[in-house]
Amino acid sequence: MSTKEETPAADGDKPQTSSWKDSIYNPRTGELFGRTAKSWALILLFYLVFYGFLAGMFTLTMWVMLQTLDDNIPTYRDRVASPGLVIRPRSLDIVFNHTDPKQYDQYVQHLENFLQQYNDTVQEKNELCMVGEYYEQDDQEEKKVCQFKRSLLRQCSGLSDTTFGYAEGKPCVLVKMNRIIGLKPRGDPYINCTAKRESHLQMQYFPSEGRFDKMYFPYYGKNLHSTYVQPLVAVKLLIAKEDYNNELTVECKIEGSDLRNSDDRDKFLGRVTFRVKVVE
């Protein structure tokens, strides 16, 4: 049996206890947030290599994909096989008092601004093309444009009548097709407009018979065909006085070709419907 008395440990030999500060930085082990400098260096190197590999693979994939694309022609064009129709002025509800210029001035100004690119002085710089034939330029780097002078719109050109018929209550509406690259409509496309309800509404078309000539097709895209302008058909609505104060619904369709003009899912595919009301 030992008689040696146990003595308490010296103050310098007291066991050290950890605190919450050690979880951030431990001065005994040199760990920062539970990792040594070597551990942090290794994990940072891993993520640098990992994300560098991902970035390189993404860049390579994008580069390979871009090699398959053409800057001028979309790769897939089968979803829009037929163009839509739109009108100018840009309104599907045309309401005005033909005796008050303030009420129809917005429509007149819109048409005038739109037709600036069709001015004869501008279009004379373009090509005189063969009527009734496609103007194909696949082998030419610089695509040329066929002339379409606003004077072809005659009474709806805004030249002889600067109000486009609005002052006399017989407004003009311009109809055009949306652009589709490479479109070559078969047949002889023309615009035909009808009043949807019983009405004696008569119409005049400019150019004659409201036709879109083949020489304005195909279109080669904004980059190659930067000065291209769509052919237009002007429709002059000969509204009689008995139809004043009545809303007239007019539907215009493209006829005479393989272009679609009847699709319940797209009311603008090959057709456009608008309303006109002349008040006095």
Side-chain angles (χ1 to χ4, degrees):
M1 186 173 187
S2 175
T3 60
K4 188 176 180 181
E5 297 182 356
E6 296 182 0
T7 58
D11 292 342
D13 297 333
K14 288 182 179 180
Q16 297 182 1
T17 58
S18 60
S19 67
W20 64 270
K21 296 180 181 180
D22 293 339
S23 62
I24 300 177
Y25 175 72
N26 192 325
R28 298 188 304 276
T29 61
E31 294 179 348
L32 179 65
F33 293 107
R35 290 183 179 274
T36 62
K38 181 179 180 180
S39 177
W40 277 116
L42 290 175
I43 197 170
L44 289 176
L45 178 62
F46 168 78
Y47 280 112
L48 179 63
V49 173
F50 177 69
Y51 286 114
F53 172 77
L54 291 181
M57 186 172 65
F58 174 78
T59 303
L60 177 63
T61 303
M62 290 296 295
W63 181 83
V64 171
M65 184 189 70
L66 290 174
Q67 302 312 302
T68 65
L69 302 179
D70 192 316
D71 292 337
N72 301 313
I73 301 176
T75 303
Y76 301 104
R77 292 176 288 164
D78 56 339
R79 294 187 64 183
V80 187
S82 294
L85 290 186
V86 294
I87 65 168
R88 296 292 183 270
R90 197 192 299 268
S91 175
L92 298 180
D93 290 284
I94 301 174
V95 181
F96 64 96
N97 187 326
H98 72 98
T99 62
D100 185 0
K102 293 182 179 179
Q103 292 196 21
Y104 60 75
D105 183 66
Q106 57 176 324
Y107 305 123
V108 172
Q109 194 59 47
H110 190 153
L111 291 173
E112 181 60 35
N113 293 339
F114 174 74
L115 287 174
Q116 288 301 304
Q117 58 187 329
Y118 292 89
N119 282 338
D120 290 12
T121 54
V122 175
Q123 290 300 311
E124 284 172 357
K125 301 176 184 178
N126 294 329
E127 298 294 306
L128 279 172
C129 302
M130 186 69 66
V131 176
E133 295 184 7
Y134 297 121
Y135 190 31
E136 298 184 275
Q137 309 172 70
D138 297 337
D139 56 344
Q140 300 180 24
E141 182 176 350
E142 182 180 355
K143 312 302 181 185
K144 298 180 180 179
V145 179
C146 295
Q147 291 185 11
F148 190 100
K149 298 180 178 180
R150 66 184 292 180
S151 57
L152 294 173
L153 303 179
R154 297 172 57 192
Q155 298 178 35
C156 289
S157 65
L159 300 176
S160 58
D161 178 8
T162 57
T163 68
F164 296 91
Y166 284 80
E168 59 176 335
K170 296 177 173 57
C172 290
V173 174
L174 305 182
V175 183
K176 68 185 184 76
M177 290 191 294
N178 291 331
R179 301 178 183 184
I180 295 183
I181 296 176
L183 177 67
K184 292 192 294 184
R186 299 176 184 175
D188 194 8
Y190 65 93
I191 293 296
N192 181 43
C193 300
T194 56
K196 300 197 73 172
R197 290 186 297 179
E198 289 189 10
S199 173
H200 300 290
L201 178 63
Q202 296 183 348
M203 308 176 200
Q204 288 181 311
Y205 300 91
F206 310 102
S208 178
E209 300 179 352
R211 298 190 180 278
F212 291 117
D213 198 278
K214 291 182 179 179
M215 65 180 172
Y216 300 107
F217 304 95
Y219 168 59
Y220 286 94
K222 187 176 181 179
N223 291 340
L224 297 178
H225 234 158
S226 58
T227 59
Y228 177 85
V229 293
Q230 295 117 302
L232 305 174
V233 169
V235 183
K236 188 176 181 65
L237 306 175
L238 306 178
I239 301 176
K241 286 189 176 181
E242 53 266 27
D243 287 325
Y244 286 179
N245 302 311
N246 294 325
E247 184 178 80
L248 302 175
T249 301
V250 180
E251 182 180 59
C252 294
K253 289 186 176 182
I254 187 164
E255 307 276 8
S257 71
D258 61 336
L259 301 179
R260 297 170 58 189
N261 61 12
S262 180
D263 191 326
D264 294 335
R265 296 174 298 178
D266 189 347
K267 63 181 180 180
F268 293 105
L269 187 63
R271 58 180 175 171
V272 61
T273 302
F274 58 94
R275 292 168 292 276
V276 179
K277 184 177 181 180
V278 179
V279 299
E280 62 175 355

